[in-house]
Amino acid sequence: MDSDPRKWIATLRGSHRRLSGLVAQLTSEQLRAQSYDTEWTNAQVLSHIGSGAEIAMMMLPAALGEAGDTGTGAFQAVWDRWNAKSPDEQAADVLPADEQYVRALEQLSGEQLAGIAFPFFGMQLDAVGLIRLRLSEHALHTWDIAVFSDPAATVAAEAVELLVDNVPQFLAPRLGKPQDPAVRARITTTGPERDYLLAAGPDEVAMSDWAGAGPAEAAGAGEVAMPAEALLRLAYGRLDPGHTPESVTGNAELLGRLRAVFPGF
């Protein structure tokens, strides 16, 4: 995983630009239409991105060691305020809020970036870890907007390059659903190239490099090949049959079982 926080910030800036272009194309009617997220309209997706930017701004001083941790009660107030906006207001306000956070990251000094430490689910995130949280949310929800008008839309390639290694390290054990009977799959990717073993059993989901798998671990594993972009969307429950590119190859039944491992949230 790339350890240069400036590259992560630049990629987040690129995702912001992409979102800006997409928002400009949405009509008032389209804002009120259902998005890829079945429980949200397009405007509500934008509201989630905007409120997330505000919450990220609230957390940044604590990550920099400049203030105490912000309580979750303050987050609810942000969500309530954004939820109360009209769809047109949500669309109008998302980009300024997002711009503020991206610019705040861009203006951090090297010393500030090096000193970032943020507790998250039992981990201590550095600058890359903190920005990764925002980029993953931003890039995938930007795809949610893009796919509304273009069913063949993909997550931005520069974001995929940075985020694909987040699948085995962070997403699989946290978002993956245990399976009984167990499923094992060798998943190879292109753009960038990766070779993983996914093991989803009755108690846990784990994902590791195929090269490190022993004979017993690899035994009975089916094989699937896909672009890294498709693997990233799979991990977030966004690789349904209607949005699976032809370049994904493998047994259809196995793909169905992998979708069950990652149903989304």
Side-chain angles (χ1 to χ4, degrees), residues 4-14 102 105-106 113 131:
D4 181 4
R6 296 292 183 194
K7 183 171 182 178
W8 287 80
I9 295 170
T11 303
L12 183 59
R13 167 59 72 186
V102 177
L105 293 175
E106 291 172 334
L113 288 169
I131 301 164

Side-chain angles (χ1 to χ4, degrees), residues 9 16 24 40 61 66 78 87 96 104 109 123 133 193 229 252 256:
I9 295 170
H16 171 83
W40 284 349
E66 298 173 354
V78 173
S109 68
M123 302 179 295
L133 289 179
E193 293 184 355
E229 188 272 342

Side-chain angles (χ1 to χ4, degrees), residues 61-181:
L64 292 167
E66 298 173 354
D69 191 17
T70 303
T72 56
F75 300 166
Q76 187 61 56
V78 173
W79 293 323
D80 290 344
R81 180 160 44 78
W82 277 84
N83 289 339
K85 296 174 186 283
S86 70
D88 297 285
E89 289 171 334
Q90 290 168 334
D93 294 347
V94 60
L95 295 175
D98 195 45
E99 169 67 26
Q100 182 182 25
Y101 183 62
V102 177
R103 184 173 297 179
L105 293 175
E106 291 172 334
Q107 292 175 344
L108 294 177
S109 68
E111 183 179 2
Q112 286 175 309
L113 288 169
I116 285 179
F118 186 73
F120 184 78
F121 284 96
M123 302 179 295
Q124 194 79 352
L125 299 181
D126 59 8
V128 166
L130 184 70
I131 301 164
R132 183 180 65 226
L133 289 179
R134 180 59 180 169
L135 178 62
S136 59
E137 176 182 57
H138 200 286
L140 270 296
H141 283 308
T142 296
W143 178 85
D144 291 339
I145 298 298
V147 78
F148 176 78
S149 57
D150 178 10
T154 57
V155 179
E158 59 270 23
V160 172
E161 180 184 352
L162 294 179
L163 293 171
V164 64
D165 293 320
N166 202 37
V167 177
Q169 295 177 13
F170 186 81
L171 299 178
R174 289 169 175 80
L175 301 184
K177 304 299 182 185
Q179 301 292 303
D180 190 8

Side-chain angles (χ1 to χ4, degrees), residues 225-249:
M226 62 182 69
E229 188 272 342
L231 174 60
L232 185 63
R233 284 196 286 115
L234 171 68
Y236 282 99
R238 287 165 166 80
L239 196 69
D240 62 275
H243 295 88
T244 298
E246 294 182 359
S247 52
V248 175
T249 61

